[in-house]
Amino acid sequence: TNPGFVVRITQSGLDYAHLHGIAILEKELTHVKLPDISGDFRIRPVGKVHYEISRLDLRNFHFPYSRISLVPNVGLQVSIANAFADVDGNWRVKLHFLKDHGSFDVSAENIYIKINLKLGNDVSGKPTVHTAYCSTRISKVRVHFSGRLGWLYNLFHSAIESRFRKILEGKVCDIVAKSVHSNLQPYMQTLPVTAIINDIAGVDYSLVEPPTATAQSLDVAMKGECYSLAQRSAAPFTPLQLTLPPDHDRMVYFGASSYFFNTASFAYHEAGALVFEITDSMIPKTVDFHLNTTTFSAFVPQLEKMYPDMKMKLKLSAPSAPFLSIGPRGLSLKPVVDIQAYAILPNSTLAPLFLLSLVSNVSATIKVKSGYILGKLNVGRMKFSLKHSNIGTFEMRTLQSIINIYASSILLPRVNDRLAEGFPLPLPDRIQLSNVVVQFHPNLLLLGADVHYQ
């Protein structure tokens, strides 16, 4: 029931999104097709006048003042005030035997629009949005007709203005609903609810509940669960409650719990990706110790007699998925690694020599680049113990120093290369992050950032 990952959008983030949304809405409204107007009007003592108004063109629609607000338990509210619009078109009139035509201008002023947006999530876990409420009120409409009989129209301009007001008020909310459906909803659906990390694992960012609006922010609770691409299985643990601190300096915050990273560890372990082999050909040229029985005979003398001058192989594996914890000082884990040593016989078969257990305190540094969480492990002191030996007893103290060199120079770089592939953050299309800040809290990695829409 608890999310493993939470995205928080602050008021400044909503304000930034609002600027782009309002620009789109203004553009949509300038392309509104207004219907022709016709009717009869009786003016004493002139008589009945038949009029037709056509080719209505909404030349501009401007929102000099608008804002977006968080409405707890509802969603978002967009308020537009003091908007104005200009319309022009053609008119025709028939009075008895008199006929005339001309042009006209309409100015609508003091337009007030209120829009409530309801946020939700669909069956696939993607966010949804629809217009829950819309109202438009136009305080002032002015119509001016030109032409030989323009004075006649001006006699009943109040009735024409009333019709224009009703038409515009109805059209605005129609366009708002259409724009939300055709622009905002498809864009929100670009939020990836699943993302591929590499050929081994993916991450599930599906929403576990509708986005929640509070007085300060909009919170999006996500599953935040990594999984094996080969075979997805449920993690043997559940996420703890995730609480984000009340930071509002950035437009958006990403909160990842230890559950998020531990499901990745579980997925890699289940996929068999936490097994590494070290052979002599992999030893860096900067390391003077070759991986063979001749080198190891200095620490295990009986090797020289049992397996003289043979190459060796080390197989490193984690008996269980390493468990990561997050605290104020950062990310840390204490993995247990089994190290099985083999002698490679002349016929290429492997002869097991001994099995060691390695325990080490490991910390992780985190950074964000191009929308990815990148990690790097830093290994502290390693502690070795002998679990099993096929070659008798030997002194561990001297042996562990060379194993330490192999692990530090080969295993750690390989693990860090994999972590450098990164975890993709859940970002909709064309969003880039800047001014990133990284914070650590109990059970929480918090990433704050500003956003830029390309």
Side-chain angles (χ1 to χ4, degrees), residues 129-180:
V129 59
H130 70 272
T131 306
Y133 171 80
C134 179
S135 67
T136 305
R137 179 172 57 88
I138 302 176
S139 298
K140 186 183 296 184
V141 176
R142 295 178 180 178
V143 182
H144 175 73
F145 297 94
S146 61
R148 188 164 56 89
L149 296 181
W151 59 271
L152 187 61
Y153 271 114
N154 290 324
L155 292 177
F156 54 92
H157 68 278
S158 61
I160 299 299
E161 289 171 355
S162 178
R163 293 201 63 177
F164 268 113
R165 180 181 288 108
K166 291 180 180 180
I167 289 173
L168 284 175
E169 287 178 345
K171 280 292 182 179
V172 166
C173 281
D174 287 345
I175 293 300
V176 166
K178 180 181 177 182
S179 184
V180 169

Side-chain angles (χ1 to χ4, degrees), residues 102-115:
S103 62
F104 69 93
D105 296 296
V106 178
S107 62
E109 303 172 0
N110 297 335
I111 304 174
Y112 298 88
I113 306 170
K114 183 176 289 186
I115 307 160

Side-chain angles (χ1 to χ4, degrees), residues 87-369:
V87 182
D88 57 28
N90 299 327
W91 61 266
R92 289 180 178 275
V93 68
K94 180 179 179 182
L95 174 63
H96 300 304
F97 297 105
L98 293 175
K99 293 183 180 180
D100 197 11
H101 61 87
S103 62
F104 69 93
D105 296 296
V106 178
S107 62
E109 303 172 0
N110 297 335
I111 304 174
Y112 298 88
I113 306 170
K114 183 176 289 186
I115 307 160
N116 285 354
L117 299 176
K118 183 70 173 178
L119 304 173
N121 59 302
D122 60 20
V123 292
S124 69
K126 284 182 175 288
T128 61
V129 59
H130 70 272
T131 306
Y133 171 80
C134 179
S135 67
T136 305
R137 179 172 57 88
I138 302 176
S139 298
K140 186 183 296 184
V141 176
R142 295 178 180 178
V143 182
H144 175 73
F145 297 94
S146 61
R148 188 164 56 89
L149 296 181
W151 59 271
L152 187 61
Y153 271 114
N154 290 324
L155 292 177
F156 54 92
H157 68 278
S158 61
I160 299 299
E161 289 171 355
S162 178
R163 293 201 63 177
F164 268 113
R165 180 181 288 108
K166 291 180 180 180
I167 289 173
L168 284 175
E169 287 178 345
K171 280 292 182 179
V172 166
C173 281
D174 287 345
I175 293 300
V176 166
K178 180 181 177 182
S179 184
V180 169
H181 178 73
S182 60
N183 293 304
L184 183 55
Q185 169 70 5
Y187 180 72
M188 290 182 65
Q189 291 276 302
T190 66
L191 181 76
V193 295
T194 57
I196 302 301
I197 299 173
N198 48 33
D199 58 349
I200 298 173
V203 57
D204 187 340
Y205 284 123
S206 58
L207 274 64
V208 298
E209 62 185 16
T212 303
T214 68
Q216 291 82 28
S217 63
L218 182 68
D219 289 349
V220 185
M222 300 176 172
K223 181 171 285 189
E225 181 178 281
C226 298
Y227 58 90
S228 169
L229 297 180
Q231 183 177 0
R232 186 167 183 175
S233 56
F237 44 84
T238 56
L240 301 174
Q241 185 175 358
L242 191 58
T243 303
L244 273 63
D247 293 51
H248 293 91
D249 294 337
R250 298 294 192 270
M251 294 182 182
V252 63
Y253 287 89
F254 303 92
S257 72
S258 57
Y259 176 82
F260 175 77
F261 295 103
N262 285 323
T263 55
S265 177
F266 176 74
Y268 278 97
H269 186 267
E270 287 291 289
L274 299 185
V275 178
F276 301 91
E277 292 185 347
I278 300 177
T279 60
D280 185 66
S281 61
M282 300 166 61
I283 305 297
K285 294 180 179 180
T286 55
V287 177
D288 295 331
F289 301 101
H290 286 281
L291 185 51
N292 54 40
T293 57
T294 301
T295 299
F296 273 72
S297 293
F299 313 106
V300 187
Q302 57 265 41
L303 278 178
E304 190 172 7
K305 297 179 180 180
M306 299 176 66
Y307 302 99
D309 195 25
M310 294 185 186
K311 290 185 178 182
M312 291 176 57
K313 175 189 287 188
L314 300 179
K315 182 179 179 181
L316 297 88
S317 60
S320 60
F323 189 82
L324 178 145
S325 61
I326 306 176
R329 294 185 178 181
L331 281 70
S332 62
L333 60 157
K334 199 171 184 178
V336 177
V337 179
D338 285 345
I339 304 176
Q340 175 67 60
Y342 298 94
I344 304 176
L345 302 181
N347 62 1
S348 298
T349 59
L350 301 177
L353 302 177
F354 52 83
L355 176 64
L356 305 179
S357 178
L358 163 63
V359 180
S360 177
N361 291 319
V362 179
S363 62
T365 56
I366 295 293
K367 67 177 182 179
V368 177
K369 184 178 180 180

